[in-house]
Amino acid sequence: MGQLPPFPGDLLADDSCDPVAIELAGLAEQAQAVTAAAARFDSRLAAAYVWGAAELAARCVDRDARRRREWGARGMLAELAATLHVAEGTLARRLTRITMLAALPRLHAAHTAGLVSSAHVDGVLDVFHGVTDPDVLARADAALADRAARLTAPQLRAAARRWRARHVPTTAEQTARAVADRFVDVTPADADLCWLTALLPAAAAMGIANRLDDLAATLTGPDEPRTRPQLRADVLCDLLLTTDAGEGAQAADTERTERAGVPDGAGASTAQARDGEQDQRVRARDGVGACADGSPTGVPSWVRAIAPQVVLTVPVLTLLGHSDEPAELDGFGPIDLETARTLCANAPTFTRVLTHPETGTVLSVGRDRYTVPADLRRAVAIRDRTCRFPGCRRRAASCDVDHSTAWADGGTTGLDNLATLCRKHHRLKHETGWRVVHEGGGTLRWHSPTGRRYRTRPATALWPPPPARADDDERRPVRASGASSGAPSTTSPSGYPAVPPF
């Protein structure tokens, strides 16, 4: 290739004519306008919540003023969440932050002007969560507001943490309150993956991270195809889902600490990491903790160590190879059939469900009784999978089974009049005037007290079964001609197996 011609710098008269600079300036101006509009919306949202909560409280017939305010607030939060298609918890946290921001007027003004993004504001509010002293907040506002526009959101968060550490040392009581918020949560991602999120004391979190790094480092080598992040993830699965290495390391560590006169658990991270190195090498060599590609069956070995107590819905035609419909793991969603088979084989307390019309499940007991029988309750939970209130994702296993049309008003105890509702939304339905109508097939139409309508659809269609494919007749097992002579048959007339094939 020939050399490039010299850059024609003389074509640019000055910076104001540079098309890239003009585009960047336009983007910055638009970003500022978007931020300012979002800030104005937040202000309107908070005002609407306060006004609406008072209005709905005034409509409550409860004689107790405190309960009227409580149900007015809950009702308005539910109305806003359903209207904006936002989870109630997310909306509640957003309203709390808007209220907290009022205590930082300079930062609030910069945000309203579009000079400081929501990410900047969230970082500062996170750092000063739990601080209520107006003087402290005023000094922090003065120290951080001017710098906010010049820093990125992570930089501003770090600056806020340093300022608080110097001027407002955390007390033992505040630390105890913060530690009380610790939790572990699971959120479905995609492609058969989940986010495992843990909010832990800093020392514990760093100790866990260092131990995972140490164990992952012992597995690296020229013949190891997994990356360091993959190794850390696999080591975590091994430590939590299998017991061989963990129990051996824990026993050795306990014996060592007892001899040294150290309380149980002290130095466990370092000792277990050291004692577990050899076990982890052996486990890695044997395929334990390997990714799906490293296992002969395509399923990680640690899956066989799981003894879950969950609901797994497996379409029977899929198990027979007549359909591509995936299995459904309660609380997550679709999973591959090989993993489903492994879980079914290893889980002694599994509720295994075949979604076909010959299960014999009781779908209605009419007006004979109010109490929902166990098999009907299970069918409702399998159909709904989560709370059926608009936007709610609480698992059906922890929900109530509600008569949509009340028993006292003539409602039946049947699948077409039952739905799972978490306790909060169950009470909200009865206290604030939400109404629900079954439209058939498990679809619910909700009517809010303000007249708005929302539809929620079931996670699983229990009836009727999905239509068979055109080639099912050719692939379906055929009963032998002598089957009627008393010989045992492994299939029913419809082709479904008499015994589940797992």
Side-chain angles (χ1 to χ4, degrees):
M1 295 178 60
Q3 292 195 1
L4 295 173
F7 179 74
D10 56 335
L11 295 180
L12 300 177
D14 53 55
D15 292 343
S16 63
C17 296
D18 188 337
V20 177
I22 293 173
E23 178 66 13
L24 292 174
L27 288 174
E29 182 178 352
Q30 187 174 7
Q32 182 175 340
V34 169
T35 299
R40 290 194 300 272
F41 176 80
D42 281 347
S43 297
R44 180 178 179 182
L45 178 66
Y49 170 73
V50 172
W51 170 80
E55 178 69 20
L56 293 182
R59 301 179 189 179
C60 253
V61 297
D62 199 300
R63 294 182 178 180
D64 184 80
R66 183 189 61 82
R67 287 175 56 83
R68 286 200 303 270
R69 290 193 299 271
E70 176 187 351
W71 287 114
R74 291 188 180 188
M76 189 59 187
L77 185 68
E79 288 275 8
L80 285 172
T83 300
L84 301 177
H85 301 288
V86 178
E88 287 183 38
T90 302
L91 182 59
R93 289 189 294 270
R94 186 172 181 179
L95 290 169
T96 300
R97 287 178 177 273
I98 296 170
T99 303
M100 291 174 58
L101 187 56
L104 303 168
R106 297 180 64 176
L107 185 65
H108 190 189
H111 181 50
T112 304
L115 302 176
V116 176
S117 73
S118 297
H120 289 74
V121 169
D122 288 345
V124 174
L125 294 179
D126 284 342
V127 171
F128 289 95
H129 176 71
V131 177
T132 57
D133 188 334
D135 179 62
V136 170
L137 294 175
R139 289 189 290 123
D141 190 32
L144 298 171
D146 291 338
R147 303 174 58 187
R150 303 192 303 270
L151 301 176
T152 65
Q155 289 173 333
L156 181 62
R157 180 188 290 265
R161 291 182 61 190
R162 288 193 297 269
W163 190 94
R164 176 170 178 172
R166 286 195 301 267
H167 297 89
V168 196
T170 303
T171 65
E173 182 181 356
Q174 290 172 331
T175 300
R177 284 202 304 266
V179 172
D181 291 335
R182 62 192 181 278
F183 71 90
V184 176
D185 193 23
V186 176
T187 305
D190 54 14
D192 293 341
L193 298 176
C194 273
W195 289 104
L196 177 65
T197 307
L199 181 64
L200 303 172
M206 295 307 300
I208 292 171
N210 290 337
R211 185 181 180 198
L212 293 178
D213 280 336
D214 291 344
L215 293 177
T218 67
L219 302 177
T220 57
D223 298 327
E224 175 55 65
R226 290 172 288 177
T227 65
R228 183 63 68 87
Q230 289 174 336
L231 287 171
R232 286 196 293 265
D234 292 343
V235 166
L236 178 64
C237 292
D238 283 345
L239 291 175
L240 295 181
L241 296 177
T242 60
T243 58
D244 297 343
E247 289 179 353
Q250 182 64 48
D253 181 63
T254 301
E255 180 182 356
R256 198 164 33 252
T257 54
E258 287 176 350
R259 288 201 306 266
V262 180
D264 287 347
S269 177
T270 303
Q272 289 183 8
R274 184 168 57 252
D275 291 349
E277 289 181 4
Q278 182 61 34
D279 288 333
Q280 288 294 334
R281 290 194 185 95
V282 173
R283 299 174 70 78
R285 184 191 63 215
D286 293 341
V288 176
C291 58
D293 293 339
S295 174
T297 62
V299 178
S301 301
W302 47 258
V303 171
R304 292 169 176 79
I306 300 176
Q309 298 179 4
V310 295
V311 173
L312 180 69
T313 302
V314 185
V316 67
L317 290 179
T318 298
L319 287 174
L320 293 174
H322 295 183
S323 172
D324 296 326
E325 186 178 355
E328 291 270 341
L329 182 63
D330 186 30
F332 172 72
I335 61 173
D336 64 277
L337 185 60
E338 189 62 39
T339 299
R341 288 181 186 275
T342 304
L343 290 174
C344 285
N346 294 341
T349 57
F350 246 166
T351 299
R352 289 171 287 194
V353 181
L354 297 177
T355 55
H356 67 82
E358 297 177 5
T359 59
T361 298
V362 176
L363 297 182
S364 178
V365 293
R367 292 285 298 171
D368 293 341
R369 54 177 163 167
Y370 173 79
T371 304
V372 183
D375 53 357
L376 178 55
R377 179 181 293 271
R378 188 178 304 114
V380 174
I382 291 166
R383 181 198 67 189
D384 293 348
R385 198 75 56 81
T386 64
C387 171
R388 293 297 303 277
F389 192 84
C392 187
R393 294 287 300 167
R394 185 175 293 275
R395 291 180 60 192
S398 59
C399 290
D400 301 333
V401 176
D402 173 63
H403 288 73
S404 299
T405 299
W407 173 268
D409 296 333
T412 61
T413 302
L415 193 63
D416 58 355
N417 189 48
L418 297 173
T420 54
L421 292 179
C422 68
R423 183 60 55 85
K424 178 178 71 173
H425 290 126
H426 193 176
R427 294 184 63 196
L428 186 75
K429 170 177 174 283
H430 291 289
E431 296 287 345
T432 62
W434 283 78
R435 295 186 300 106
V436 60
V437 176
H438 283 251
E439 293 188 334
T443 298
L444 305 183
R445 184 176 74 247
W446 287 87
H447 298 251
S448 82
T450 60
R452 298 182 67 88
R453 296 183 180 184
Y454 309 92
R455 278 182 174 82
T456 64
R457 290 174 172 79
T460 304
L462 293 184
W463 189 277
R469 297 193 320 202
D471 58 349
D472 279 348
D473 291 337
E474 299 177 4
R475 303 171 60 184
R476 179 179 297 160
V478 180
R479 298 181 65 187
S481 58
S484 59
S485 62
S489 173
T490 59
T491 61
S492 68
S494 65
Y496 292 105
V499 179
F502 50 74

